[in-house]
C-alpha cells in the first residue's frame, strides 16, 4: 500500500491522488438576489426601487422589454425554492434582502412588517432544512428615493446604508451568520454610473465611476463597524463584501508593456475596491494615473476623490473573508493611444489598455462570458497573494444558456472546469478557499438582458403563471458533487 501510494505521487502526479476530493470543511451553495427572483414588486407593502423605476420607464433598455415585476415569483413560491435547495443538499444559500420591501420609503420611520415576516419565514425554513443563509444586504435594488438624491454619488448614502444594515442585524441576526454588505460595486460603478447600461442609467464615465466606488467603500465600512461594535459580541457572525473582476492575462507575456497593462487592469478593477479594504487607501497606480490625467485634462481637482487618513483607517480591515465573483477572462494589451486620449475622460482611457479574446474560448449565451477556467485559478492566486492570504469564498460563478433547453451540457462543461481549478488553487497552490457558490439557483431576471440569458441550474417557465421550475441536467451533476464532495477532473 505504501509503495503504491508513493508510486502514484511520483509517477501519476498529485492531481490524480489528491485533487478530486474537496476538503472536508468545504461548502457548496447556490445563489439568487431579491429583485431577480422575488417579484411582488408592488405588493404586501413594498416600496419602489431604482430597478422598478428604470424597467418601467425605459423598457427599451432591457433586451426583451421585460422587468422583475413577477420574476420567479419567489415571494410566493419560496417554500418550493427551499425544497429544491434541500434536495440539492447545499450547505448554504446566498440570497439578498430587498431594502424597499422592509423599508418602503427607504427611510426608517416606517417598517413593513409583511416584508420582515417574509424574510423571517424564509430563514426559519432554511434553518429547519439545515441550510445556512449567506445574506447580501444590497444587491442593486436601491430604494427609489435615494436614487432621486444622487444614489451612489451622494456620500450621505453611506449613513443611510449603515442604518439599514443595523436594522437588518437587529431583525435577522439570530438567523444569519454570514453577511455581505454590497454586491459587486465594480459593476454598479461601471454599468450603472459610467456606461448607462444598468439602472439608473447614468453615463458619467470617469467621474461618477470613482465617486461611486468612494461612497460604496464608506457605506461598506460603516455597515462592517456597526456589526462589530454593536452585534458581534452576541451574534458572532462574519461580514464582508462581494467583489468581482475578469481575470486579465497579458496578451503577449514577453512584452513588458502588456504585462504592466494586465497588472494595471486588475488594480483598476479589483484593486479599486479591494485595496482600500484589505491594504488601505486606493491602489497607488490608480492615484497616480487618475491624478495625472485629471491635471492634463484641466480639472481643478482630481476625478478621484481622496480619503482622509481617518477614512483610510476606518475602511482598512473591514472584511472577515473575501467574497469573490468570477465569470470570464480578457487578454490585455497595452494601449498607448488611450494614454494620449484626453477627452472625453473615461475609466477605460485611465487604464490605458485594449481588451481582447482568444478565439479558442467557448462562448455562452452572454456576449461577455467565455469559458476560461484557468482564469479563476489565476485570480484566486492573485487575490491570495495581493491581500495576505484571506479566507476566500467564491460567491458567484456561472454560465448562461438561452433558455431553449434543459439539456445544458455547456454549463456542465463550464462548471466542471471551474470547480476543478478551485480545487487546484486549494490543493496545489495552498489558497484558502472555503466555499463555492454557483450563480444561480434558477433562471431569473438578468438585468438589462431581461429573460434572454439564463444562468439557472433550474429552468423557469416565465410563460406560465405557475413559473414552473424544471431542473436542468446540471442540477443532478451538481447534486452529485455536493453529495460526494468529489469531482472528476480528468480532461479538465
Ligand atoms: C402592481 O403592478 C401590476 C403590474 O405589474 C399592476 O397590474 C397592478 O395593478 C399593481 N397593483 C397595485 C396594488 O398597485
Ligand atoms: C494580441 O496578440 C496577438 C498575437 O498573439 C495579436 O494578433 C493581437 O493583435 C494582439 N492584440 C493586441 C490588441 O495587441
Ligand atoms: C511579444 O513581445 C515581444 C517583446 O516585446 C516581441 O519581441 C514579440 O514580437 C511579441 N510577440 C508578438 C506575437 O507580437
Ligand atoms: C489561444 O489559446 C491557445 C490555447 O491556449 C493558444 O495556443 C494560442 O496561442 C492562443 N492564441 C492567441 C492568439 O493568443
Ligand atoms: C482559512 O481561513 C479560516 C477562516 O479564517 C481559518 O480558520 C483557517 O485556519 C484558514 N486555513 C488556512 C489553511 O489558512
Ligand atoms: C407548478 O410548478 C411546479 C414546479 O415548479 C410543478 O411541480 C407543478 O406541477 C406546476 N403546476 C402546474 C399546474 O403547472
Amino acid at each position: 500500500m505504501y509503495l503504491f501510494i508513493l508510486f502514484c505521487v511520483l509517477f501519476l502526479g498529485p492531481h490524480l491522488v489528491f485533487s478530486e476530493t474537496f476538503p472536508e470543511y468545504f461548502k457548496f451553495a447556490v445563489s439568487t438576489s431579491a429583485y431577480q427572483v422575488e417579484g411582488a414588486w408592488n405588493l404586501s407593502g413594498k416600496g419602489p426601487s431604482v430597478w422598478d423605476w428604470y424597467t418601467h420607464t425605459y423598457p427599451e433598455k432591457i433586451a426583451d422589454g421585460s422587468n422583475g415585476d413577477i420574476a420567479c415569483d419567489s415571494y410566493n413560491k419560496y417554500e418550493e425554492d427551499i425544497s429544491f435547495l434541500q434536495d440539492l443538499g447545499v450547505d448554504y444559500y446566498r440570497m439578498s434582502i430587498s431594502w424597499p420591501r422592509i423599508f418602503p420609503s427607504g427611510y426608517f420611520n416606517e417598517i413593513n412588517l409583511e416584508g420582515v415576516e417574509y424574510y423571517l419565514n424564509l430563514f426559519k425554513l432554511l434553518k429547519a432544512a439545515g441550510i445556512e443563509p449567506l445574506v447580501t444586504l444590497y444587491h442593486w435594488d436601491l430604494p427609489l428615493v435615494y436614487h432621486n438624491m444622487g444614489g451612489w454619488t451622494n456620500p450621505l448614502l453611506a449613513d443611510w446604508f449603515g442604518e439599514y444594515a443595523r436594522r437588518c442585524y437587529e431583525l435577522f441576526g439570530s438567523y444569519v451568520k454570514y453577511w455581505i454588505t454590497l454586491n459587486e460595486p465594480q459593476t454598479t460603478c461601471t454599468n450603472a454610473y459610467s456606461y448607462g447600461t444598468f439602472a439608473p442609467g447614468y453615463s458619467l464615465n470617469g467621474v461618477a465611476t470613482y465617486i461611486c466606488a468612494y461612497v460604496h467603500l464608506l457605506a461598506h465600512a460603516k455597515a462592517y463597524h456597526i456589526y462589530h461594535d454593536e452585534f458581534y459580541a452576541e451574534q458572532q457572525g462574519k461580514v464582508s463584501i462581494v467583489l468581482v473582476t475578469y481575470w486579465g492575462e497579458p496578451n503577449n507575456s514577453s512584452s513588458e508593456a502588456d504585462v504592466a497593462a494586465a497588472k494595471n487592469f486588475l488594480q483598476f478593477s479589483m484593486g479599486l475596491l479591494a485595496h482600500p479594504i484589505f491594504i488601505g487607501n486606493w491602489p497607488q497606480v490608480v492615484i497616480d494615473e487618475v491624478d495625472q490625467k485629471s491635471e492634463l485634462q484641466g480639472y481643478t481637482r482630481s476625478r478621484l476623490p481622496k480619503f482622509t487618513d481617518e477614512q483610510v483607517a476606518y475602511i482598512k480591515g473591514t472584511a472577515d473573508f473575501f467574497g469573490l465573483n468570477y465569470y470570464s477572462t480578457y487578454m490585455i494589451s497595452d494601449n498607448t493611444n488611450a494614454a494620449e486620449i484626453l477627452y472625453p475622460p473615461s475609466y477605460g482611457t485611465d487604464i490605458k489598455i485594449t481588451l481582447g479574446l482568444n478565439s479558442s474560448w467557448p462562448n455562452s449565451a452572454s456576449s461577455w462570458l467565455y469559458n476560461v477556467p484557468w482564469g479563476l485559478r489565476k485570480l484566486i492566486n492573485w487575490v491570495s497573494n495581493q491581500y495576505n492570504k484571506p479566507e476566500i469564498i467564491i460567491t458567484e460563478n456561472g454560465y448562461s444558456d438561452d433558455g431553449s433547453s434543459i439539456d445544458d451540457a455547456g454549463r456542465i462543461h463550464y462548471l466542471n472546469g471551474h470547480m476543478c481549478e478551485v480545487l487546484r488553487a486549494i490543493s496545489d497552490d495552498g489558497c484558502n478557499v472555503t466555499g463555492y457558490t454557483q450563480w444561480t439557483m434558477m433562471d431569473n431576471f438578468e438585468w438589462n438582458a431581461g429573460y434572454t440569458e439564463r444562468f439557472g441550474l433550474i429552468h423557469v417557465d416565465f410563460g406560465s403563471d405557475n413559473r414552473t421550475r424544471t431542473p436542468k441536467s446540471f442540477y443532478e451533476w451538481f447534486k452529485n458533487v455536493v453529495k460526494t464532495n468529489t469531482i472528476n477532473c480528468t480532461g479538465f
Side-chain angles (χ1 to χ4, degrees):
M1 198 58 197
Y2 173 76
L3 277 178
F4 176 72
I5 290 170
L6 192 66
F7 176 85
C8 291
V9 171
L10 289 178
F11 297 100
L12 299 177
H15 284 174
L16 280 178
V17 182
F18 302 114
S19 288
E20 300 193 358
T21 301
F22 285 90
E24 222 167 294
Y25 56 78
F26 198 81
K27 295 196 160 79
F28 294 99
V30 289
S31 46
T32 59
S33 88
Y35 183 69
Q36 293 176 278
V37 301
E38 282 179 6
W41 80 279
N42 58 356
L43 302 178
S44 308
K46 180 180 162 293
S49 80
V50 68
W51 271 95
D52 293 319
W53 164 78
Y54 183 76
T55 53
H56 294 156
T57 313
Y58 306 109
E60 71 280 6
K61 295 196 176 191
I62 310 299
D64 53 6
S66 68
N67 54 52
D69 286 3
I70 302 173
C72 306
D73 199 21
S74 286
Y75 186 73
N76 294 307
K77 298 177 79 74
Y78 66 96
E79 293 178 348
E80 189 181 325
D81 293 348
I82 292 172
S83 65
F84 275 116
L85 294 172
Q86 198 166 10
D87 178 61
L88 266 175
V90 289
D91 299 292
Y92 63 93
Y93 175 45
R94 181 177 173 223
M95 51 166 282
S96 79
I97 292 174
S98 163
W99 183 347
R101 186 174 297 291
I102 57 176
F103 298 105
S105 71
Y107 303 119
F108 309 99
N109 55 343
E110 184 193 348
I111 184 164
N112 175 27
L113 293 176
E114 277 186 79
V116 172
E117 198 65 24
Y118 169 67
Y119 293 110
L120 284 174
N121 287 340
L122 214 156
F123 295 140
K124 283 177 193 160
L125 269 188
L126 285 173
K127 188 172 182 177
I131 299 163
E132 178 118 47
L134 190 154
V135 176
T136 310
L137 289 166
Y138 176 77
H139 202 122
W140 303 351
D141 43 0
L142 191 68
L144 188 56
V145 68
Y146 297 119
H147 160 65
N148 291 334
M149 293 191 292
W152 291 103
T153 64
N154 182 348
L156 289 175
L157 185 52
D159 294 333
W160 286 309
F161 179 71
E163 184 57 28
Y164 164 60
R166 175 183 282 118
R167 300 301 179 103
C168 287
Y169 303 148
E170 275 168 10
L171 289 166
F172 309 120
S174 61
Y175 292 100
V176 180
K177 301 303 165 195
Y178 284 87
W179 292 102
I180 298 292
T181 55
L182 304 166
N183 180 67
E184 291 188 0
Q186 292 103 329
T187 308
T188 303
C189 296
T190 52
N191 290 4
Y193 283 79
S194 307
Y195 312 145
T197 54
F198 279 15
Y202 283 158
S203 297
L204 300 167
N205 199 351
V207 180
T209 322
Y210 303 111
I211 299 173
C212 169
Y214 172 83
V215 179
H216 271 89
L217 285 160
L218 294 175
H220 160 75
K222 181 137 254 163
Y224 181 90
H225 286 295
I226 287 171
Y227 190 81
H228 279 271
D229 294 347
E230 302 172 23
F231 297 91
Y232 179 77
E234 195 187 324
Q235 298 184 359
Q236 304 276 312
K238 292 188 178 190
V239 181
S240 189
I241 186 168
V242 161
L243 302 179
V244 66
T245 183
Y246 293 86
W247 172 249
E249 183 72 7
N251 188 51
N252 177 350
S253 57
S254 315
S255 149
E256 273 177 40
D258 282 5
V259 170
K263 282 187 182 160
N264 287 357
F265 167 77
L266 288 166
Q267 291 300 345
F268 268 85
S269 60
M270 180 55 84
L272 189 68
L273 274 295
H275 198 280
I277 295 173
F278 289 89
I279 297 177
N281 208 354
W282 304 114
Q284 194 59 44
V285 63
V286 173
I287 297 175
D288 292 346
E289 297 288 343
V290 183
D291 283 4
Q292 187 194 23
K293 195 135 194 191
S294 301
E295 198 177 323
L296 288 172
Q297 289 162 333
Y299 289 93
T300 50
R301 55 187 285 185
S302 175
R303 288 180 281 107
L304 183 72
K306 295 305 187 305
F307 296 114
T308 63
D309 291 347
E310 287 75 22
Q311 287 173 327
V312 169
Y314 187 70
I315 296 167
K316 183 177 170 174
T318 55
D320 300 326
F321 58 92
F322 198 113
L324 180 63
N325 290 4
Y326 169 83
Y327 287 90
S328 195
T329 285
Y330 278 117
M331 302 301 291
I332 309 287
S333 313
D334 176 56
N335 183 343
T336 320
N337 291 339
E340 285 157 12
I341 297 169
L342 289 185
Y343 303 103
S346 82
Y347 174 65
T349 51
D350 287 341
I351 317 179
K352 303 186 294 192
I353 53 164
T354 302
L355 301 176
L357 298 165
N358 181 319
S359 55
S360 75
W361 298 344
N363 199 190
S364 64
S366 308
S367 59
W368 50 271
L369 205 182
Y370 290 82
N371 185 354
V372 196
W374 52 261
L376 176 54
R377 179 176 178 181
K378 289 196 178 197
L379 179 59
I380 291 169
N381 273 272
W382 185 88
V383 164
S384 216
N385 293 332
Q386 287 278 315
Y387 306 120
N388 198 23
K389 301 207 75 176
E391 175 188 4
I392 297 170
I393 297 177
I394 306 299
T395 35
E396 282 180 33
N397 179 227
Y399 176 90
S400 59
D401 60 62
D402 64 7
S404 60
S405 168
I406 59 164
D407 175 14
D408 55 346
R411 175 170 293 104
I412 296 176
H413 191 255
Y414 178 102
L415 285 139
N416 197 341
H418 284 72
M419 289 172 75
C420 289
E421 295 293 351
V422 171
L423 199 41
R424 287 174 193 134
I426 299 168
S427 52
D428 296 5
D429 310 336
C431 300
N432 193 5
V433 188
T434 59
Y436 176 87
T437 315
Q438 186 262 354
W439 180 271
T440 173
M441 178 196 172
M442 59 194 153
D443 292 346
N444 58 45
F445 179 75
E446 186 53 36
W447 312 113
N448 63 342
Y451 299 100
T452 64
E453 296 172 20
R454 310 289 195 91
F455 283 80
L457 52 69
I458 295 172
H459 175 274
V460 177
D461 179 3
F462 294 100
S464 77
D465 288 345
N466 186 34
R467 294 297 193 271
T468 306
R469 287 126 161 88
T470 311
K472 301 180 189 175
S473 321
F474 175 72
Y475 181 100
E476 284 300 326
W477 185 92
F478 190 62
K479 184 175 165 179
N480 185 55
V481 172
V482 174
K483 187 172 155 199
T484 59
N485 210 34
T486 62
I487 186 171
N488 184 347
C489 293
T490 311
F492 285 94

